[in-house]
Amino acid sequence: MIKYTDNDIRNAAYFIWKNNGCPANTHEQDWAAAINQLSAMSALKNASKKLASAKTIAAKKTATKAASLKASILKPVALKSKSTKSLSSKKSSLKKSK
């Protein structure tokens, strides 16, 4: 849990009190509401940071996979078709017969 200074809580409680129409004798409720509000904001910031970090990691993994796939696609492949093989064997048999 994050420790808040009295000044942070006091400022938040003041704005809660003002937004509620400045009612009398609500300082304890406003103080508790300020602590809850600050805690919720802190949790939201932490969740946002974790989400941003997860997105960054996922983007890096995707980029790595894409680069690997691109490299494998662009890799030259030496394949001989059956027709090429049969032509070369016919040529060699012709040379032998001469």
Side-chain angles (χ1 to χ4, degrees):
M1 183 177 164
I2 296 176
K3 302 266 183 181
Y4 302 103
T5 64
D6 284 346
N7 195 36
D8 293 336
I9 299 170
R10 186 179 300 111
N11 285 335
Y14 171 76
F15 287 108
I16 290 170
W17 176 72
K18 289 286 276 184
N19 286 335
N20 288 334
C22 306
N25 300 322
T26 59
H27 60 278
E28 289 178 6
Q29 293 168 345
D30 297 336
W31 190 269
I35 292 172
N36 288 337
Q37 185 179 34
L38 291 171
S39 296
M41 287 174 40
S42 175
L44 184 61
K45 284 181 183 178
N46 287 338
S48 176
K49 285 180 184 177
K50 287 181 182 179
L51 180 61
S53 176
K55 284 183 178 180
T56 302
I57 290 169
K60 286 181 181 177
K61 285 182 180 179
T62 303
T64 303
K65 285 182 181 179
S68 173
L69 182 60
K70 184 178 178 182
S72 66
I73 290 172
L74 296 177
K75 192 177 200 180
V77 179
L79 294 177
K80 285 190 173 182
S81 66
K82 291 182 179 179
S83 60
T84 308
K85 287 181 181 178
S86 62
L87 282 175
S88 61
S89 63
K90 286 180 182 178
K91 286 181 181 177
S92 64
S93 64
L94 287 175
K95 287 181 183 178
K96 288 180 182 177
S97 63
K98 288 183 180 181

Coordinates of all heavy atoms in Angstrom, one line a residue:
M1 N 0.8 -1.2 0.0 CA 0.0 0.0 0.0 C 0.9 1.2 0.0 O 1.9 1.3 0.7 CB -0.9 0.0 1.2 CG -1.9 1.2 1.3 SD -2.9 1.0 2.7 CE -3.5 2.6 2.7
I2 N 0.5 2.2 -0.8 CA 1.2 3.5 -0.8 C 0.9 4.4 0.3 O -0.3 4.5 0.7 CB 0.9 4.2 -2.2 CG1 1.4 3.3 -3.3 CG2 1.6 5.5 -2.2 CD1 1.1 3.9 -4.7
K3 N 1.9 5.0 0.9 CA 1.7 5.9 2.0 C 1.4 7.3 1.4 O 2.2 7.7 0.5 CB 2.9 6.0 2.9 CG 3.2 4.7 3.5 CD 2.6 4.5 4.9 CE 3.0 3.2 5.5 NZ 2.5 3.0 6.8
Y4 N 0.4 7.9 1.8 CA 0.1 9.3 1.3 C 0.4 10.3 2.4 O 0.2 10.0 3.6 CB -1.4 9.4 0.9 CG -1.8 8.4 -0.2 CD1 -2.5 7.3 0.1 CD2 -1.4 8.6 -1.5 CE1 -2.9 6.4 -0.8 CE2 -1.7 7.7 -2.5 CZ -2.5 6.6 -2.1 OH -2.8 5.7 -3.1
T5 N 0.8 11.4 2.0 CA 1.1 12.5 3.0 C -0.3 13.1 3.4 O -1.3 13.0 2.7 CB 2.0 13.6 2.4 OG1 1.3 14.3 1.4 CG2 3.3 13.0 1.9
D6 N -0.2 13.7 4.6 CA -1.5 14.3 5.1 C -1.9 15.4 4.2 O -3.1 15.6 4.0 CB -1.2 14.9 6.5 CG -1.3 13.8 7.6 OD1 -1.7 12.7 7.3 OD2 -0.8 14.1 8.8
N7 N -1.0 16.1 3.6 CA -1.3 17.2 2.6 C -2.0 16.6 1.4 O -3.0 17.2 1.0 CB 0.0 17.9 2.2 CG -0.3 19.3 1.6 OD1 -1.3 19.9 2.0 ND2 0.5 19.6 0.6
D8 N -1.6 15.5 0.9 CA -2.3 14.8 -0.3 C -3.7 14.5 0.1 O -4.7 14.8 -0.6 CB -1.6 13.6 -0.7 CG -0.2 13.8 -1.3 OD1 0.1 14.9 -1.8 OD2 0.6 12.9 -1.2
I9 N -3.9 13.9 1.3 CA -5.2 13.5 1.7 C -6.1 14.7 2.0 O -7.3 14.8 1.6 CB -5.1 12.6 3.0 CG1 -4.3 11.3 2.6 CG2 -6.5 12.2 3.5 CD1 -4.0 10.5 3.8
R10 N -5.5 15.7 2.6 CA -6.2 16.9 3.0 C -6.7 17.6 1.7 O -7.9 18.0 1.6 CB -5.3 17.9 3.7 CG -6.0 19.1 4.3 CD -5.1 20.0 5.1 NE -4.5 19.4 6.2 CZ -3.2 19.0 6.4 NH1 -2.3 19.3 5.4 NH2 -2.8 18.4 7.4
N11 N -5.9 17.7 0.7 CA -6.3 18.3 -0.6 C -7.4 17.6 -1.2 O -8.4 18.1 -1.7 CB -5.1 18.5 -1.6 CG -4.2 19.5 -1.2 OD1 -4.6 20.5 -0.5 ND2 -2.9 19.4 -1.6
A12 N -7.3 16.2 -1.3 CA -8.4 15.4 -1.9 C -9.7 15.5 -1.1 O -10.8 15.6 -1.7 CB -7.9 14.0 -2.0
A13 N -9.6 15.5 0.3 CA -10.8 15.6 1.1 C -11.4 17.0 0.9 O -12.7 17.1 0.9 CB -10.4 15.5 2.6
Y14 N -10.6 18.0 0.7 CA -11.2 19.4 0.5 C -12.0 19.4 -0.8 O -13.2 19.9 -0.8 CB -10.1 20.4 0.4 CG -10.5 21.8 0.0 CD1 -11.2 22.6 0.8 CD2 -10.3 22.2 -1.3 CE1 -11.7 23.8 0.4 CE2 -10.7 23.4 -1.8 CZ -11.4 24.2 -0.9 OH -11.9 25.5 -1.3
F15 N -11.5 18.8 -1.8 CA -12.2 18.8 -3.1 C -13.5 17.9 -3.0 O -14.5 18.2 -3.6 CB -11.3 18.4 -4.3 CG -10.4 19.5 -4.6 CD1 -9.0 19.4 -4.4 CD2 -10.8 20.7 -5.2 CE1 -8.2 20.4 -4.7 CE2 -10.0 21.7 -5.6 CZ -8.6 21.6 -5.3
I16 N -13.4 16.8 -2.3 CA -14.6 16.0 -2.1 C -15.7 16.8 -1.3 O -16.8 16.8 -1.7 CB -14.2 14.7 -1.3 CG1 -13.4 13.8 -2.3 CG2 -15.5 14.0 -0.8 CD1 -12.8 12.6 -1.6
W17 N -15.2 17.5 -0.3 CA -16.1 18.3 0.5 C -16.8 19.4 -0.4 O -18.0 19.6 -0.3 CB -15.4 18.9 1.7 CG -16.1 19.9 2.5 CD1 -17.1 19.6 3.4 CD2 -15.9 21.3 2.6 NE1 -17.5 20.7 4.0 CE2 -16.8 21.8 3.5 CE3 -15.1 22.2 1.9 CZ2 -16.9 23.2 3.8 CZ3 -15.1 23.5 2.2 CH2 -16.0 24.0 3.2
K18 N -15.9 20.1 -1.2 CA -16.5 21.1 -2.1 C -17.5 20.6 -3.1 O -18.5 21.2 -3.4 CB -15.3 21.8 -2.8 CG -14.4 22.7 -2.0 CD -15.1 24.0 -1.6 CE -15.0 25.0 -2.8 NZ -15.5 26.3 -2.5
N19 N -17.1 19.4 -3.7 CA -18.0 18.8 -4.7 C -19.4 18.3 -4.1 O -20.3 18.2 -4.8 CB -17.3 17.6 -5.4 CG -16.3 18.1 -6.4 OD1 -16.3 19.2 -6.9 ND2 -15.3 17.2 -6.6
N20 N -19.3 18.0 -2.8 CA -20.6 17.6 -2.1 C -21.4 18.8 -1.6 O -22.4 18.6 -0.9 CB -20.3 16.7 -0.9 CG -19.8 15.3 -1.4 OD1 -20.1 14.9 -2.5 ND2 -19.0 14.6 -0.6
G21 N -21.0 20.0 -1.9 CA -21.8 21.2 -1.5 C -21.4 21.8 -0.2 O -22.2 22.5 0.4
C22 N -20.2 21.5 0.4 CA -19.7 22.0 1.6 C -20.6 21.7 2.8 O -20.9 22.6 3.6 CB -19.5 23.5 1.5 SG -18.4 24.0 0.1
P23 N -21.0 20.4 3.0 CA -21.8 20.1 4.1 C -21.1 20.2 5.5 O -19.8 20.0 5.5 CB -22.3 18.7 3.9 CG -21.2 18.1 3.0 CD -20.7 19.2 2.2
A24 N -21.8 20.5 6.6 CA -21.1 20.6 7.9 C -20.9 19.2 8.5 O -21.6 18.2 8.2 CB -22.0 21.4 8.8
N25 N -19.8 19.1 9.3 CA -19.5 17.9 10.1 C -19.3 16.6 9.2 O -19.8 15.5 9.6 CB -20.6 17.6 11.1 CG -20.7 18.8 12.1 OD1 -19.7 19.4 12.5 ND2 -22.0 19.1 12.4
T26 N -18.7 16.7 8.1 CA -18.4 15.5 7.3 C -16.9 15.3 7.1 O -16.5 14.5 6.2 CB -19.1 15.6 5.9 OG1 -18.6 16.8 5.2 CG2 -20.6 15.7 6.0
H27 N -16.1 15.9 7.9 CA -14.7 15.9 7.7 C -14.1 14.4 7.8 O -13.2 14.1 7.0 CB -13.9 16.8 8.7 CG -14.2 16.5 10.1 ND1 -15.3 16.9 10.8 CD2 -13.4 15.8 11.0 CE1 -15.2 16.5 12.0 NE2 -14.1 15.8 12.2
E28 N -14.6 13.6 8.7 CA -14.1 12.2 8.8 C -14.5 11.4 7.6 O -13.7 10.6 7.0 CB -14.7 11.6 10.1 CG -14.0 12.1 11.3 CD -14.6 11.5 12.6 OE1 -15.4 10.6 12.5 OE2 -14.3 12.0 13.7
Q29 N -15.7 11.6 7.1 CA -16.2 10.9 5.9 C -15.4 11.3 4.7 O -15.0 10.5 3.8 CB -17.7 11.1 5.7 CG -18.6 10.5 6.7 CD -20.0 11.0 6.6 OE1 -20.3 12.0 6.0 NE2 -20.9 10.4 7.3
D30 N -15.2 12.6 4.6 CA -14.4 13.2 3.5 C -13.0 12.7 3.5 O -12.4 12.4 2.4 CB -14.4 14.7 3.5 CG -15.9 15.3 3.3 OD1 -16.7 14.6 2.7 OD2 -16.1 16.4 3.7
W31 N -12.4 12.6 4.7 CA -11.0 12.1 4.8 C -10.9 10.7 4.4 O -10.0 10.3 3.6 CB -10.6 12.2 6.3 CG -9.1 12.0 6.5 CD1 -8.5 10.8 6.8 CD2 -8.1 13.0 6.5 NE1 -7.2 11.0 7.0 CE2 -6.9 12.3 6.8 CE3 -8.1 14.4 6.2 CZ2 -5.7 13.0 6.8 CZ3 -6.8 15.0 6.3 CH2 -5.7 14.3 6.5
A32 N -11.9 9.8 4.8 CA -11.9 8.4 4.4 C -12.1 8.3 2.9 O -11.5 7.4 2.2 CB -12.9 7.6 5.2
A33 N -13.0 9.1 2.4 CA -13.3 9.1 0.9 C -12.0 9.5 0.1 O -11.8 8.9 -0.9 CB -14.5 10.0 0.6
A34 N -11.3 10.4 0.7 CA -10.1 10.9 0.0 C -9.0 9.8 -0.1 O -8.4 9.6 -1.1 CB -9.5 12.1 0.7
I35 N -8.9 9.1 1.0 CA -7.9 7.9 1.1 C -8.4 6.9 0.0 O -7.5 6.3 -0.7 CB -7.8 7.3 2.5 CG1 -7.2 8.3 3.4 CG2 -7.1 6.0 2.5 CD1 -7.2 7.9 4.9
N36 N -9.7 6.6 0.0 CA -10.1 5.6 -1.0 C -9.9 6.0 -2.4 O -9.5 5.2 -3.3 CB -11.6 5.3 -0.7 CG -11.9 4.5 0.5 OD1 -11.0 3.8 1.0 ND2 -13.1 4.6 1.1
Q37 N -10.2 7.3 -2.6 CA -10.0 7.8 -4.0 C -8.5 7.8 -4.4 O -8.2 7.4 -5.5 CB -10.5 9.3 -4.0 CG -10.5 9.9 -5.4 CD -11.0 11.3 -5.4 OE1 -10.8 12.0 -4.4 NE2 -11.6 11.7 -6.5
L38 N -7.6 8.2 -3.5 CA -6.2 8.1 -3.8 C -5.7 6.7 -4.1 O -4.9 6.4 -5.0 CB -5.4 8.8 -2.7 CG -5.5 10.3 -2.6 CD1 -4.9 10.8 -1.3 CD2 -5.0 11.0 -3.8
S39 N -6.2 5.8 -3.3 CA -5.8 4.3 -3.4 C -6.3 3.8 -4.8 O -5.6 3.1 -5.5 CB -6.4 3.5 -2.3 OG -5.9 3.9 -1.1
A40 N -7.6 4.2 -5.1 CA -8.1 3.7 -6.4 C -7.3 4.3 -7.6 O -7.0 3.6 -8.6 CB -9.6 4.1 -6.5
M41 N -6.9 5.6 -7.5 CA -6.1 6.2 -8.5 C -4.8 5.5 -8.7 O -4.2 5.3 -9.8 CB -6.0 7.7 -8.3 CG -7.2 8.4 -8.6 SD -7.2 10.2 -8.1 CE -5.6 10.7 -8.6
S42 N -4.2 5.2 -7.5 CA -2.9 4.5 -7.5 C -3.0 3.1 -8.2 O -2.1 2.7 -8.9 CB -2.4 4.4 -6.1 OG -1.2 3.6 -6.0
A43 N -4.0 2.4 -7.8 CA -4.2 1.0 -8.4 C -4.4 1.1 -9.9 O -3.9 0.3 -10.7 CB -5.4 0.4 -7.8
L44 N -5.2 2.1 -10.3 CA -5.4 2.4 -11.8 C -4.1 2.7 -12.5 O -3.8 2.1 -13.6 CB -6.4 3.5 -12.0 CG -6.8 3.8 -13.4 CD1 -7.5 2.5 -14.0 CD2 -7.8 4.9 -13.4
K45 N -3.2 3.5 -11.9 CA -1.9 3.8 -12.5 C -1.1 2.5 -12.6 O -0.4 2.3 -13.6 CB -1.2 4.9 -11.7 CG -1.7 6.2 -11.9 CD -1.0 7.3 -11.1 CE -1.5 8.6 -11.2 NZ -0.8 9.6 -10.4
N46 N -1.1 1.7 -11.6 CA -0.3 0.5 -11.6 C -0.8 -0.5 -12.7 O 0.0 -1.1 -13.4 CB -0.3 -0.2 -10.2 CG 0.6 0.5 -9.2 OD1 1.5 1.3 -9.5 ND2 0.2 0.3 -7.9
A47 N -2.1 -0.6 -12.8 CA -2.7 -1.5 -13.8 C -2.3 -1.0 -15.2 O -2.0 -1.7 -16.1 CB -4.2 -1.6 -13.6
S48 N -2.4 0.3 -15.4 CA -2.1 0.9 -16.7 C -0.6 0.7 -17.0 O -0.3 0.4 -18.2 CB -2.3 2.4 -16.6 OG -2.0 3.1 -17.8
K49 N 0.3 0.8 -16.1 CA 1.7 0.5 -16.3 C 1.9 -0.9 -16.7 O 2.7 -1.3 -17.6 CB 2.6 0.9 -15.1 CG 2.7 2.3 -14.9 CD 3.6 2.6 -13.6 CE 3.7 4.1 -13.3 NZ 4.4 4.3 -12.1
K50 N 1.3 -1.9 -16.0 CA 1.4 -3.3 -16.3 C 0.9 -3.6 -17.7 O 1.5 -4.4 -18.4 CB 0.7 -4.1 -15.3 CG 1.4 -4.2 -13.9 CD 0.6 -5.0 -12.9 CE 1.3 -5.1 -11.6 NZ 0.5 -5.9 -10.6
L51 N -0.2 -3.0 -18.0 CA -0.8 -3.2 -19.4 C 0.1 -2.7 -20.5 O 0.3 -3.3 -21.5 CB -2.2 -2.5 -19.5 CG -2.9 -2.7 -20.8 CD1 -3.2 -4.1 -21.1 CD2 -4.2 -1.9 -20.8
A52 N 0.7 -1.5 -20.2 CA 1.6 -0.9 -21.2 C 2.8 -1.8 -21.4 O 3.3 -2.0 -22.5 CB 2.0 0.5 -20.8
S53 N 3.3 -2.3 -20.2 CA 4.5 -3.2 -20.3 C 4.1 -4.5 -21.0 O 4.9 -5.0 -21.8 CB 4.9 -3.6 -18.8 OG 6.0 -4.5 -18.8
A54 N 3.0 -5.1 -20.8 CA 2.6 -6.3 -21.5 C 2.4 -6.0 -23.0 O 2.8 -6.9 -23.8 CB 1.2 -6.8 -20.9
K55 N 1.9 -4.9 -23.3 CA 1.8 -4.6 -24.8 C 3.1 -4.4 -25.4 O 3.3 -4.9 -26.5 CB 1.0 -3.3 -24.9 CG -0.5 -3.4 -24.8 CD -1.2 -2.1 -25.0 CE -2.7 -2.2 -24.9 NZ -3.4 -0.9 -25.1
T56 N 4.1 -3.8 -24.7 CA 5.4 -3.7 -25.3 C 6.1 -5.0 -25.5 O 6.7 -5.3 -26.5 CB 6.3 -2.8 -24.3 OG1 5.7 -1.6 -24.1 CG2 7.7 -2.6 -24.8
I57 N 5.9 -5.9 -24.5 CA 6.5 -7.3 -24.6 C 5.9 -8.0 -25.7 O 6.6 -8.7 -26.5 CB 6.3 -8.0 -23.3 CG1 7.2 -7.4 -22.2 CG2 6.7 -9.5 -23.4 CD1 7.0 -7.9 -20.8
A58 N 4.6 -7.9 -25.9 CA 3.9 -8.6 -27.0 C 4.3 -8.1 -28.3 O 4.5 -8.8 -29.3 CB 2.3 -8.5 -26.8
A59 N 4.5 -6.8 -28.4 CA 4.9 -6.2 -29.7 C 6.3 -6.6 -30.0 O 6.6 -6.9 -31.2 CB 4.8 -4.6 -29.6
K60 N 7.2 -6.7 -29.0 CA 8.5 -7.2 -29.3 C 8.5 -8.6 -29.8 O 9.2 -9.0 -30.7 CB 9.4 -7.0 -28.1 CG 9.8 -5.6 -27.8 CD 10.7 -5.5 -26.5 CE 11.0 -4.1 -26.2 NZ 11.9 -4.0 -25.0
K61 N 7.7 -9.5 -29.1 CA 7.6 -10.9 -29.6 C 7.1 -11.0 -31.0 O 7.6 -11.8 -31.8 CB 6.7 -11.7 -28.6 CG 7.4 -12.0 -27.3 CD 6.4 -12.8 -26.4 CE 7.1 -13.1 -25.1 NZ 6.2 -13.9 -24.2
T62 N 6.1 -10.2 -31.3 CA 5.5 -10.2 -32.6 C 6.5 -9.8 -33.7 O 6.6 -10.4 -34.7 CB 4.2 -9.3 -32.7 OG1 3.3 -9.7 -31.7 CG2 3.6 -9.3 -34.0
A63 N 7.3 -8.7 -33.3 CA 8.3 -8.2 -34.3 C 9.4 -9.3 -34.5 O 9.8 -9.5 -35.6 CB 8.9 -6.9 -33.7
T64 N 9.8 -10.0 -33.4 CA 10.8 -11.0 -33.6 C 10.3 -12.2 -34.4 O 11.0 -12.6 -35.3 CB 11.1 -11.5 -32.2 OG1 11.6 -10.5 -31.4 CG2 12.2 -12.6 -32.3
K65 N 9.0 -12.6 -34.2 CA 8.4 -13.6 -35.0 C 8.3 -13.2 -36.5 O 8.6 -14.0 -37.4 CB 7.1 -14.0 -34.5 CG 7.2 -14.9 -33.2 CD 5.8 -15.2 -32.8 CE 5.8 -16.0 -31.5 NZ 4.5 -16.4 -31.0
A66 N 7.9 -12.0 -36.7 CA 7.8 -11.5 -38.1 C 9.1 -11.4 -38.8 O 9.2 -11.8 -39.9 CB 7.1 -10.1 -38.1
A67 N 10.2 -11.0 -38.1 CA 11.5 -11.0 -38.7 C 12.0 -12.4 -39.0 O 12.6 -12.6 -40.0 CB 12.5 -10.3 -37.7
S68 N 11.7 -13.3 -38.1 CA 12.1 -14.7 -38.3 C 11.4 -15.3 -39.5 O 12.0 -15.9 -40.4 CB 11.8 -15.5 -37.1 OG 12.1 -16.9 -37.3
L69 N 10.1 -15.0 -39.6 CA 9.3 -15.5 -40.7 C 9.8 -14.9 -42.0 O 9.9 -15.6 -43.0 CB 7.8 -15.2 -40.5 CG 6.9 -15.7 -41.5 CD1 6.9 -17.2 -41.7 CD2 5.4 -15.3 -41.2
K70 N 10.0 -13.6 -42.0 CA 10.5 -12.9 -43.2 C 11.8 -13.5 -43.7 O 12.1 -13.7 -44.9 CB 10.7 -11.4 -42.9 CG 11.1 -10.6 -44.1 CD 11.1 -9.1 -43.8 CE 11.6 -8.3 -45.0 NZ 11.7 -6.9 -44.6
A71 N 12.7 -13.8 -42.7 CA 14.0 -14.3 -43.1 C 13.9 -15.7 -43.7 O 14.6 -16.1 -44.6 CB 14.9 -14.4 -41.8
S72 N 12.9 -16.5 -43.1 CA 12.8 -17.8 -43.7 C 12.1 -17.8 -45.1 O 12.4 -18.7 -45.9 CB 11.9 -18.7 -42.7 OG 10.6 -18.2 -42.6
I73 N 11.3 -16.8 -45.3 CA 10.6 -16.7 -46.6 C 11.6 -16.3 -47.7 O 11.6 -16.8 -48.8 CB 9.4 -15.8 -46.5 CG1 8.3 -16.4 -45.7 CG2 8.9 -15.4 -47.9 CD1 7.1 -15.5 -45.4
L74 N 12.4 -15.3 -47.3 CA 13.4 -14.8 -48.3 C 14.6 -15.7 -48.5 O 15.4 -15.4 -49.3 CB 13.8 -13.4 -47.8 CG 12.7 -12.3 -47.8 CD1 13.2 -11.0 -47.3 CD2 12.1 -12.2 -49.1
K75 N 14.7 -16.7 -47.7 CA 15.9 -17.6 -47.8 C 15.8 -18.3 -49.2 O 14.8 -18.9 -49.5 CB 15.8 -18.7 -46.7 CG 17.0 -19.5 -46.5 CD 16.8 -20.4 -45.3 CE 18.1 -20.8 -44.7 NZ 17.8 -21.7 -43.6
P76 N 16.9 -18.2 -49.9 CA 16.9 -18.9 -51.2 C 16.8 -20.4 -51.1 O 17.4 -21.0 -50.3 CB 18.2 -18.5 -51.9 CG 19.1 -18.1 -50.7 CD 18.2 -17.6 -49.6
V77 N 16.0 -20.9 -52.0 CA 15.7 -22.4 -51.9 C 16.2 -22.9 -53.3 O 15.7 -22.4 -54.3 CB 14.2 -22.7 -51.7 CG1 14.0 -24.2 -51.7 CG2 13.8 -22.0 -50.4
A78 N 17.0 -23.9 -53.3 CA 17.5 -24.6 -54.5 C 16.7 -25.8 -54.7 O 17.0 -26.9 -54.1 CB 19.0 -24.8 -54.4
L79 N 15.7 -25.8 -55.5 CA 14.9 -26.9 -55.8 C 15.0 -27.2 -57.3 O 15.0 -26.3 -58.1 CB 13.4 -26.7 -55.5 CG 13.1 -26.5 -54.1 CD1 11.6 -26.2 -54.0 CD2 13.3 -27.8 -53.3
K80 N 15.2 -28.5 -57.6 CA 15.2 -28.9 -59.0 C 13.9 -29.6 -59.3 O 13.5 -30.5 -58.6 CB 16.3 -29.8 -59.3 CG 17.7 -29.1 -59.4 CD 18.7 -30.1 -59.9 CE 20.0 -29.4 -60.1 NZ 21.0 -30.3 -60.7
S81 N 13.3 -29.2 -60.4 CA 12.0 -29.9 -60.7 C 12.3 -31.2 -61.4 O 13.4 -31.4 -61.9 CB 11.2 -28.9 -61.6 OG 11.8 -28.8 -62.8
K82 N 11.4 -32.0 -61.5 CA 11.6 -33.3 -62.2 C 11.9 -33.1 -63.7 O 12.7 -33.9 -64.2 CB 10.3 -34.2 -62.1 CG 10.0 -34.6 -60.7 CD 8.8 -35.5 -60.6 CE 8.5 -35.9 -59.2 NZ 7.4 -36.8 -59.1
S83 N 11.4 -32.1 -64.3 CA 11.6 -31.9 -65.7 C 13.1 -31.6 -65.9 O 13.7 -32.0 -66.9 CB 10.7 -30.9 -66.3 OG 10.9 -29.7 -65.7
T84 N 13.7 -30.8 -65.0 CA 15.1 -30.4 -65.1 C 16.0 -31.6 -65.0 O 16.9 -31.8 -65.7 CB 15.4 -29.3 -64.1 OG1 14.5 -28.3 -64.1 CG2 16.8 -28.8 -64.2
K85 N 15.6 -32.5 -64.0 CA 16.4 -33.7 -63.8 C 16.4 -34.6 -65.0 O 17.4 -35.1 -65.4 CB 15.9 -34.4 -62.5 CG 16.3 -33.7 -61.3 CD 15.8 -34.5 -60.1 CE 16.1 -33.9 -58.8 NZ 15.6 -34.6 -57.6
S86 N 15.2 -34.8 -65.6 CA 15.1 -35.7 -66.7 C 15.8 -35.1 -67.9 O 16.4 -35.9 -68.7 CB 13.6 -35.9 -67.0 OG 13.0 -34.7 -67.4
L87 N 15.9 -33.8 -68.1 CA 16.6 -33.2 -69.2 C 18.1 -33.4 -69.0 O 18.8 -33.7 -70.0 CB 16.3 -31.7 -69.3 CG 15.0 -31.3 -70.0 CD1 14.8 -29.8 -69.9 CD2 14.9 -31.8 -71.4
S88 N 18.6 -33.2 -67.8 CA 20.0 -33.4 -67.6 C 20.4 -34.9 -67.8 O 21.5 -35.2 -68.3 CB 20.4 -32.9 -66.3 OG 19.8 -33.6 -65.2
S89 N 19.6 -35.8 -67.4 CA 19.9 -37.2 -67.6 C 19.9 -37.6 -69.1 O 20.6 -38.4 -69.5 CB 19.0 -38.1 -66.8 OG 17.6 -38.0 -67.2
K90 N 19.0 -37.0 -69.8 CA 18.9 -37.3 -71.2 C 20.1 -36.8 -71.9 O 20.7 -37.4 -72.8 CB 17.6 -36.7 -71.9 CG 16.4 -37.4 -71.5 CD 15.2 -36.7 -72.1 CE 13.9 -37.4 -71.7 NZ 12.7 -36.8 -72.3
K91 N 20.6 -35.6 -71.5 CA 21.8 -35.0 -72.2 C 23.0 -35.9 -71.9 O 23.8 -36.1 -72.8 CB 22.0 -33.6 -71.6 CG 21.1 -32.5 -72.2 CD 21.4 -31.2 -71.6 CE 20.5 -30.1 -72.1 NZ 20.7 -28.8 -71.5
S92 N 23.1 -36.3 -70.6 CA 24.3 -37.1 -70.3 C 24.2 -38.5 -71.0 O 25.2 -39.0 -71.5 CB 24.4 -37.4 -68.8 OG 23.2 -38.1 -68.3
S93 N 23.0 -39.0 -71.3 CA 22.9 -40.3 -72.0 C 23.3 -40.1 -73.5 O 23.8 -41.0 -74.1 CB 21.6 -40.9 -71.8 OG 20.6 -40.1 -72.4
L94 N 22.9 -38.9 -74.0 CA 23.3 -38.6 -75.4 C 24.8 -38.5 -75.6 O 25.3 -38.9 -76.5 CB 22.5 -37.4 -75.8 CG 21.0 -37.5 -76.1 CD1 20.5 -36.1 -76.4 CD2 20.8 -38.4 -77.3
K95 N 25.4 -37.9 -74.6 CA 26.8 -37.7 -74.7 C 27.6 -39.0 -74.6 O 28.5 -39.3 -75.3 CB 27.3 -36.8 -73.6 CG 27.0 -35.3 -73.7 CD 27.5 -34.5 -72.6 CE 27.1 -33.1 -72.7 NZ 27.6 -32.2 -71.6
K96 N 27.0 -39.9 -73.8 CA 27.7 -41.3 -73.7 C 27.5 -42.1 -74.9 O 28.4 -42.8 -75.3 CB 27.0 -42.0 -72.5 CG 27.4 -41.5 -71.1 CD 26.8 -42.2 -70.0 CE 27.1 -41.7 -68.7 NZ 26.4 -42.4 -67.6
S97 N 26.4 -41.9 -75.6 CA 26.2 -42.7 -76.8 C 27.0 -42.2 -78.0 O 27.3 -43.0 -78.9 CB 24.7 -42.7 -77.2 OG 24.3 -41.3 -77.5
K98 N 27.5 -41.0 -78.0 CA 28.3 -40.5 -79.1 C 29.7 -41.0 -78.9 O 30.5 -41.6 -79.0 CB 28.4 -39.0 -79.0 CG 27.1 -38.3 -79.4 CD 27.3 -36.8 -79.5 CE 26.0 -36.1 -79.9 NZ 26.1 -34.7 -79.9

